[in-house]
Each structure stands twice: as structure tokens, then as C-alpha cells.
Amino acid sequence: MRFNRMLLSTVLVVVALVLQVCVLARLQLPGAVPDLMLLTVLGLALVYGHVGGAFVGFGAGLLADLAPPADHAAGRYALVLCVIGYLAGLAKPDSGQLRSAAGPMLVVVGAAIGTTLLYAGVGALVGDTAARDVGLGSLIFTAALYDLLLAPFVVPGVMALARRAENDPLGETSGGSAKAADVSSGWLSGGGTGLSIGGKSGGLRMRTAKARASRAGRIKGVKRL
């Protein structure tokens, strides 16, 4: 990924982690905790695509694994968000613009359910049965509900920032210079004047030939007189 993508992704993920740990986790809501990290990864994946979404998801998950008060094995949430980021990136619109909010909302609900199931599944493989003790059904329902309610305030803003960061001034400058080079070459080849260099040389030859013919005609006329 380019530097502006990495910088923006890092800043957004760190801010999301701080808000989730310091604010959302202390609300003591029933069931799951609203996953601001997941929504940030989804917003970036919908702009960067499946490869960028996988990288962002892995980095965000690894940061959440290492940040206190994490009480699970490192790499568990990184694996989950890497898979979710990749799958969410597949839903990136071809035109880059979303036609309606229905698509992203479905992505959020599917990601919330998939994250809970994957997290519980990976935990079961390593012997963590906390999700089973709390109740997997209630966790899935509350996670989807909380993330769906929080998504309209997070995902569009993240996507807007990501699209704005994509408009790199250096990229525009290089694109402008390339365009200028194309224009200049097109201008020389006839795009600006309607004549090519070969056409100009051909025109000069025609003018020279006409001048010679007229001069010869004048000379003949003088001899006839």
C-alpha cells in the first residue's frame, strides 16, 4: 500500500481502538461490545479492496490483540479481522461510489456475525469456551445490532477520508506532467495545429515546387517576348 494509505489506516485504527477500550467497553451494554475496530476496517476495505482490507484487518486485529486489557492469545483477532477485511473488500464497488446504503449495511451485519462466529471458532480450537458460556446466540444478535446502529456514524466517514487520501497531490502532479507530455507530443504530431511535422514538410515542398513552376513560367514568357 502507498504511504498515505498506511498513515491514514494507522491513525484511524489507533483512534478506533482508544475509543473502543476507553468508552465503548465501559458502557456495560448487555451482550457484545460495539466493535468500532471492525467498522473502521470495513470502511477502509470498501475503498481499498480485498488486498488492502486484508492488510488493514490484520494490522488492526494484531494491535487489538496486543493492547491491554486483551485476555486472549495474540493473533486470534488479527486472523479474524484479516479474513473479514478480505471478504468485505470483495464488495468494493467498481465505480468507487456506493449507489445505496443497503449494500454497506448488509456488509456490516454479515461482518458482525462472521466476526463473532470466527472469533468463537478460533477460541474453541485453542480451548477458550467463554463465548459458549455467555451464549453465542445473544452475542451474535447484540453484536449485529450494536454494529448496525453505529455503522452510519462511522463507515461513511471512514470511506470519505480514505477516498480523500487517495487523491495524492504527488500523484496528481505526476499525472499532470504525464498528461502535459501527452498533450505536447500530440501538439507536435498535429493535435494542436491540425498539421503533422511530415505534413508541414510536405506543404513546404509543395510551396517550393509551385514557386519554381511560376518562376519557370515567367522565364518562358520573357523568352517568348
Side-chain angles (χ1 to χ4, degrees), residues 8-164:
L8 177 65
S9 301
T10 303
V11 172
L12 291 178
V13 166
V14 170
V15 171
L17 179 62
V18 171
L19 291 177
Q20 183 166 333
V21 173
C22 298
V23 179
L24 297 179
R26 298 184 179 183
L27 295 178
Q28 300 297 328
L29 296 174
V33 176
D35 201 341
L36 190 59
M37 294 277 289
L38 173 63
L39 297 178
T40 303
V41 171
L42 293 180
L44 294 173
L46 289 174
V47 177
Y48 296 156
H50 58 283
V51 177
F55 276 106
V56 173
F58 179 80
L62 186 61
L63 183 62
D65 288 333
L66 300 177
D71 56 353
H72 54 267
R76 179 178 172 183
Y77 200 48
L79 175 61
V80 172
L81 283 188
C82 180
V83 174
I84 295 299
Y86 179 87
L87 295 177
L90 296 176
K92 174 188 175 182
D94 296 333
S95 61
Q97 299 292 334
L98 298 174
R99 297 181 179 180
S100 65
M105 292 299 102
L106 291 176
V107 171
V108 170
V109 173
I113 297 174
T115 300
T116 306
L117 291 176
L118 284 175
Y119 189 81
V122 175
L125 293 177
V126 297
D128 186 2
T129 59
R132 187 186 306 173
D133 298 336
V134 174
L136 187 58
S138 62
L139 285 178
I140 292 176
F141 176 76
T142 53
L145 178 62
Y146 296 154
D147 293 345
L148 187 61
L149 293 176
L150 191 60
F153 304 98
V154 178
V155 176
V158 172
M159 294 181 66
L161 290 174
R163 288 198 186 100
R164 186 173 182 179

